[in-house]
Amino acid sequence: GALLLLVSKALLVTALVRRSGISAMTAWQTGLLLAVGGEFGFALLAIALDAQVIGVELGQIVLTSVLFSMIAGALLIRFNQTIARRLVSIRRNAEPEVPNMAIDESNPPVLIGGYGRVGHTIAVLLQNSGIPCVAFDVDPKRVAQGRADGNQVLYGDISDPELMVAIHVERTPLVILTVDDSVIALRTVAFLRSIAPHVPIVVRARDLAATSQLLAAGATHAYPEAIEASLRLGATAMKILCVPDNDIELIVQGVRDWDYQPVLEDEHVQ
């Protein structure tokens, strides 16, 4: 019971902290420190016993588990950094080896942040156009799949400042962010703009609100995914109905130029 409590709390807290963009080392340290049971657990246990939600025997097991976890907490606190460093090292060793990225200064590649469905599509389009590109993703499976697809996909977090500095992001002609996380996208745009103000940044956004935030942070272009998909569907419909291509392009571009205002739903429409 104590082991289950420690492991489950450590993993949950570590995942939450890591999700917020904090480094893996700090996330594991935080998870280990907060993994132990506490006084609040005793209070909940007393209420559960008083309300007869759980039996006395199970209550004794839970009580003993919390006590053992608190005893183990002393060791987790004492050796916190050592354990966290070991856990980070194990994960890194389990991840695919990242090859050195050689930047051709005469023809530097476009950088793509995220190799999900959007990143994959963009990489294929660029490769078919003869434009070199390199994608980064934190999912080893996506990295492996990208390489199997014949694209240059490396393991790495596009929001990591150390990575961006190491690959000399200021040399790339374009950065395309396809990550499906507004917080990470905003942080990445702000950092890239600070170290490479001349590099264009094109970003995928969830909605119009995220688009505005990304543009304010320094993105060159930000496209709300749902609205853009609707525009393409509308454009296809007009083409089928024999509307001239030039008129279609003018209509679609006009919507973009007006910050998508002509197609926004009324706030009362559900």
Side-chain angles (χ1 to χ4, degrees):
L3 182 61
L4 177 62
L5 176 63
L6 290 169
V7 172
S8 59
K9 285 189 66 178
L11 292 176
L12 179 61
V13 174
T14 300
L16 289 172
V17 175
R18 191 74 181 96
R19 178 71 175 173
S20 65
I22 298 175
S23 67
M25 182 67 180
T26 302
W28 276 113
Q29 286 184 275
T30 305
L32 292 171
L33 288 173
L34 298 181
V36 300
E39 294 82 355
F40 187 62
F42 293 138
L44 289 177
L45 180 60
I47 294 173
L49 288 171
D50 184 61
Q52 298 183 346
V53 176
I54 61 175
V56 176
E57 183 179 357
L58 179 58
Q60 292 297 322
I61 294 175
V62 175
L63 175 63
T64 308
S65 300
V66 174
L67 287 173
F68 276 128
S69 75
M70 295 178 74
I71 294 173
L75 296 175
L76 293 178
I77 295 172
R78 173 66 180 82
F79 301 103
N80 179 270
Q81 188 171 9
T82 302
I83 298 174
R85 186 181 297 112
R86 178 60 180 167
L87 290 171
V88 172
S89 175
I90 290 174
R91 175 165 182 175
R92 285 178 177 172
N93 289 337
E95 291 164 354
E97 182 181 355
V98 178
N100 293 327
M101 177 180 165
I103 296 288
D104 183 359
E105 295 188 16
S106 62
N107 189 25
V110 171
L111 301 183
I112 302 173
Y115 193 75
R117 55 184 177 80
V118 179
H120 166 75
T121 301
I122 294 173
V124 171
L125 292 175
L126 292 177
Q127 293 283 21
N128 290 341
S129 300
I131 300 173
C133 64
V134 177
F136 292 91
D137 202 288
V138 294
D139 187 340
K141 292 182 180 179
R142 289 182 179 176
V143 174
Q145 183 60 52
R147 294 177 185 174
D149 294 338
N151 297 317
Q152 190 173 7
V153 184
L154 307 182
Y155 183 89
D157 184 356
I158 193 67
S159 66
D160 184 357
E162 293 183 5
L163 174 63
M164 293 295 97
V165 172
I167 63 176
H168 300 288
V169 68
E170 70 278 0
R171 300 177 185 174
T172 183
L174 174 64
V175 174
I176 303 175
L177 298 179
T178 69
V179 291
D180 187 23
D181 189 309
S182 299
V183 175
I184 293 178
L186 278 171
R187 185 171 63 245
T188 306
V189 168
F191 176 74
L192 289 175
R193 190 51 70 222
S194 67
I195 66 170
H198 60 284
V199 175
I201 306 173
V202 178
V203 193
R204 162 201 182 189
R206 286 188 175 183
D207 49 38
L208 194 60
T211 299
S212 299
Q213 293 175 341
L214 290 165
L215 291 173
T220 309
H221 297 286
Y223 295 101
E225 187 174 25
I227 297 179
E228 279 294 324
S230 300
L231 287 179
R232 297 319 307 166
L233 286 171
T236 301
M238 287 186 287
K239 188 170 184 177
I240 293 174
L241 296 172
C242 301
V243 177
D245 290 345
N246 290 339
D247 291 348
I248 295 175
E249 186 61 32
L250 286 174
I251 293 172
V252 172
Q253 191 57 46
V255 172
R256 295 190 183 114
D257 292 342
W258 280 87
D259 294 331
Y260 303 97
Q261 293 297 326
V263 296
L264 291 183
E265 291 184 347
D266 186 271
E267 60 180 352
H268 300 295
V269 177
Q270 299 298 326

